[in-house]
Amino acid sequence: MKKQEIDNLIKNINKDWNIVENSIKRDFLFKDFKYAFKFMSDVAVVAEEINHHPTWTNTYNRLEIILTTHDTGGISKLDFELAKRIDVIFEKSK
C-alpha cells in the first residue's frame, strides 16, 4: 500500500492509532483486567468474522494492539477495516 493511501485511510480511524514501521498501533487503558478481557473477547469475534487477527499484548488493564497484514508484508485496507471496528467496540465499552 502506498504512503498516500495510508495517509488518507488513517484519517478515518481514531487519532490514537499510529503508524509504526509496517503496521498501525494503538494502546488502550481500561478500568481493570475484567474490562480489558471483555474488550479483547469482543475484538476476537470481529477478527474471526473478517479473518484478520491482531497482534496484541495485555498486562492487567492495558492493551496494545498492532495491526499488519503479513501476506503483504505491511499495512493493508483490512488493517484499517479492523481498526475502525475496534474503535467502535472501544467506544461502546466505555
Side-chain angles (χ1 to χ4, degrees), residues 28 30-46 56 58 60-63 65 85-86 88-90 92-94:
F28 297 85
F30 299 90
K31 179 180 174 182
D32 58 25
F33 178 75
K34 178 176 71 175
Y35 285 90
F37 191 81
K38 168 78 167 83
F39 176 76
M40 291 174 69
S41 295
D42 292 345
V43 170
V45 170
V46 170
W56 53 21
N58 167 245
Y60 183 60
N61 67 335
R62 296 178 184 275
L63 176 64
I65 296 181
R85 295 187 67 179
I86 289 170
V88 169
I89 294 167
F90 186 65
K92 288 180 180 179
S93 73
K94 291 182 176 180

Side-chain angles (χ1 to χ4, degrees), residues 14-91:
N14 185 288
K15 66 177 177 55
D16 291 330
W17 288 98
N18 296 295
I19 298 170
V20 178
E21 296 177 13
N22 290 326
S23 63
I24 55 177
K25 176 186 171 287
R26 183 172 175 192
D27 296 318
F28 297 85
L29 185 63
F30 299 90
K31 179 180 174 182
D32 58 25
F33 178 75
K34 178 176 71 175
Y35 285 90
F37 191 81
K38 168 78 167 83
F39 176 76
M40 291 174 69
S41 295
D42 292 345
V43 170
V45 170
V46 170
E48 279 294 302
E49 285 175 8
I50 66 172
N51 194 29
H52 193 61
H53 304 91
T55 298
W56 53 21
T57 303
N58 167 245
T59 304
Y60 183 60
N61 67 335
R62 296 178 184 275
L63 176 64
E64 173 189 80
I65 296 181
I66 299 171
L67 302 176
T68 191
T69 303
H70 300 285
D71 295 345
T72 65
I75 302 170
S76 75
K77 289 182 181 178
L78 203 50
D79 297 307
F80 288 102
E81 180 182 338
L82 183 54
K84 272 184 175 178
R85 295 187 67 179
I86 289 170
D87 289 342
V88 169
I89 294 167
F90 186 65
E91 286 304 313

